[in-house]
């Protein structure tokens, strides 16, 4: 599952054919509880928001839970207390990224590998988002949705050999608007593995 990614840069936004106005700053290397750019369907048009990477549910007392809720399994997202409110309110969003990072075990040791498009273009990852009030402050947050990837040519190579293989969900350009406006009942139709011919990976030590 993805706990680290390289988000889109401002200069790349036009490559995704998305609104270009981002009124906040963000790092180029994100981990749980870092601020991330997020796209969601606003009242009138697509909007950008700065959100915490790691879901902060409405019942949370502080932000600590975000270190454990940065990924949401599609198989159980509807029943987990941290995610089910966002799921049943169809709070779907997109995270624009350049690269996601996963550990690949070589000779028993973890190596940091990057996963990215062959053509170098940014892409969008399926997410759910939430709004919560923590100590009187509004906290927006999100979690990446993940699916099983035991049989995926690329994604099956990451994480410990004995661990279940998981993958993010890439939403292609022609389906972005459909994803942002779908409801939880038809959301599963988007839960497919990334095209093996469009993505690759390489060793990217820190």
């Amino acid at each position: 599952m993805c706990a680290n990614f390289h988000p889109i840069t401002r200069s790349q936004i036009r490559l995704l054919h998305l609104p270009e106005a981002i009124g906040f700053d963000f790092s180029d290397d994100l981990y749980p509880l870092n601020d991330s750019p997020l796209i969601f369907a606003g009242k009138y048009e697509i909007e950008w928001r700065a959100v915490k990477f790691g879901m902060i549910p409405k019942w949370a007392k502080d932000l600590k839970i975000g270190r454990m809720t940065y990924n949401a399994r599609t198989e159980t997202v509807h029943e987990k207390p941290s995610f089910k409110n966002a799921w049943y309110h169809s709070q779907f969003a997109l995270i624009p990224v350049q690269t996601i990072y996963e550990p690949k075990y070589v000779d028993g040791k973890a190596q940091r590998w990057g996963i990215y498009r062959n053509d170098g273009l940014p892409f969008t990852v399926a997410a759910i988002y939430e709004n919560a009030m923590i100590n009187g402050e509004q906290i927006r947050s999100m979690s990446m949705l993940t699916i099983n990837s035991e049989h995926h040519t690329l994604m099956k190579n990451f994480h410990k050999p004995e661990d279940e293989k998981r993958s993010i969900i890439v939403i292609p350009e022609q389906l972005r608007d459909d994803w942002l406006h779908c409801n939880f009942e038809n959301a599963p139709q988007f839960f497919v593995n990334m095209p093996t011919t469009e993505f690759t990976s390489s060793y990217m030590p820190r």
Side-chain angles (χ1 to χ4, degrees):
M1 295 188 288
C2 180
N4 177 212
F5 67 96
H6 191 170
I8 194 173
T9 64
R10 292 177 184 275
S11 63
Q12 291 177 321
I13 294 173
R14 65 188 60 185
L15 298 176
L16 290 177
H17 306 110
L18 294 169
E20 295 187 29
I22 298 183
F24 51 86
D25 295 321
F26 51 91
S27 172
D28 62 0
D29 192 21
L30 300 184
Y31 290 87
L33 292 184
N34 288 165
D35 289 330
S36 167
L38 186 76
I39 301 164
F40 74 103
K43 186 175 182 180
Y44 301 108
E45 59 184 9
I46 291 176
E47 298 181 11
W48 290 94
R49 284 287 186 274
V51 301
K52 297 295 182 185
F53 178 30
M55 185 73 82
I56 310 299
K58 290 182 178 296
W59 47 262
K61 301 300 183 183
D62 54 44
L63 303 183
K64 294 179 182 178
I65 191 171
R67 298 191 184 281
M68 299 179 288
T69 56
Y70 48 86
N71 290 166
R73 295 170 58 95
T74 54
E75 298 90 341
T76 58
V77 65
H78 65 285
E79 62 186 16
K80 293 296 184 180
S82 296
F83 307 123
K84 63 182 184 180
N85 181 71
W87 174 258
Y88 284 115
H89 283 87
S90 302
Q91 293 173 184
F92 301 126
L94 291 168
I95 310 163
V97 306
Q98 297 183 65
T99 307
I100 66 166
Y101 299 99
E102 298 284 15
K104 184 175 183 178
Y105 281 75
V106 179
D107 296 327
K109 295 183 178 180
Q111 295 183 350
R112 183 178 186 250
W113 280 60
I115 299 152
Y116 50 91
R117 284 183 58 92
N118 289 318
D119 56 16
L121 291 175
F123 55 99
T124 47
V125 174
I128 54 175
Y129 70 92
E130 187 61 277
N131 292 309
M133 294 296 293
I134 306 294
N135 297 323
E137 180 183 1
Q138 183 181 32
I139 302 295
R140 296 185 175 95
S141 60
M142 61 80 174
S143 176
M144 293 181 175
L145 289 163
T146 69
I147 55 177
N148 181 277
S149 60
E150 295 285 348
H151 303 293
H152 191 269
T153 304
L154 177 62
M155 299 304 292
K156 70 179 183 180
N157 297 308
F158 304 103
H159 297 282
K160 293 180 180 179
E162 66 271 20
D163 288 350
E164 180 191 5
K165 311 307 176 186
R166 305 290 299 179
S167 174
I168 58 166
I169 300 166
V170 175
I171 304 295
E173 181 176 355
Q174 67 272 20
L175 295 179
R176 286 178 195 148
D177 192 65
D178 292 338
W179 167 251
L180 292 176
H181 292 90
C182 78
N183 60 50
F184 69 89
E185 293 176 327
N186 57 37
Q189 67 183 293
F190 296 90
F191 299 164
V192 297
N193 275 296
M194 64 177 68
T196 56
T197 57
E198 295 180 13
F199 287 82
T200 189
S201 65
S202 61
Y203 177 43
M204 294 185 176
R206 300 186 190 284

